[in-house]
């Protein structure tokens, strides 16, 4: 099965301390549909995320971060408008 993937840059309201960075990345990676997630080392307020919009939305990711105590907003990217051509990735497991 081929699923679309998109990129989003999420901006945290506060800079993450070093001990929190790994926990946030692990939580995002555990979310169904997230392909990659990493906090930028230059700016610990930005998280670069690749995900499949058929499995989760950027709102889901923001909700997850808020639940971890790290309120955030989308800085770049996010869910694409209808009709947008997306890159594709094979092997994404989505919930039925």
């Amino acid at each position: 099965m081929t699923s679309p993937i998109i990129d989003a840059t999420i901006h945290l309201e506060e800079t993450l301390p070093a001990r929190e960075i790994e926990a946030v990345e692990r939580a995002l990676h555990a979310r169904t549909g997230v392909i990659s997630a990493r906090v930028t080392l230059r700016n610990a307020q930005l998280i670069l995320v690749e995900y499949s919009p058929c499995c989760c939305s950027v709102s889901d990711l923001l909700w997850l971060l808020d639940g971890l105590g790290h309120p955030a907003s989308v800085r770049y990217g996010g869910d694409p408008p209808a009709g947008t051509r997306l890159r594709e990735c094979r092997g994404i497991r989505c919930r039925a």
Side-chain angles (χ1 to χ4, degrees):
M1 177 174 123
T2 303
S3 301
I5 60 170
I6 58 175
D7 303 306
T9 300
I10 296 174
H11 183 262
L12 297 166
E13 290 183 8
E14 61 187 10
T15 300
L16 287 179
R19 68 183 187 283
E20 290 288 321
I21 291 174
E22 189 176 327
V24 166
E25 288 176 342
R26 268 195 321 268
L28 287 166
H29 279 281
R31 176 66 171 93
T32 300
V34 172
I35 298 157
S36 71
R38 74 177 199 282
V39 176
T40 61
L41 297 177
R42 286 184 152 187
N43 182 349
Q45 285 184 285
L46 297 179
I47 305 172
L48 307 174
V49 182
E50 283 187 319
Y51 68 98
S52 174
C54 72
C55 303
C56 67
S57 68
V58 76
S59 297
D60 294 332
L61 302 176
L62 295 175
W63 181 82
L64 183 148
L65 291 167
D66 191 53
L68 293 172
H70 302 296
S73 59
V74 177
R75 188 157 182 181
Y76 306 108
D79 295 331
T84 301
R85 185 180 168 127
L86 304 170
R87 292 181 299 144
E88 294 185 345
C89 180
R90 297 186 183 278
I92 302 285
R93 289 187 317 231
C94 298
R95 290 184 200 137

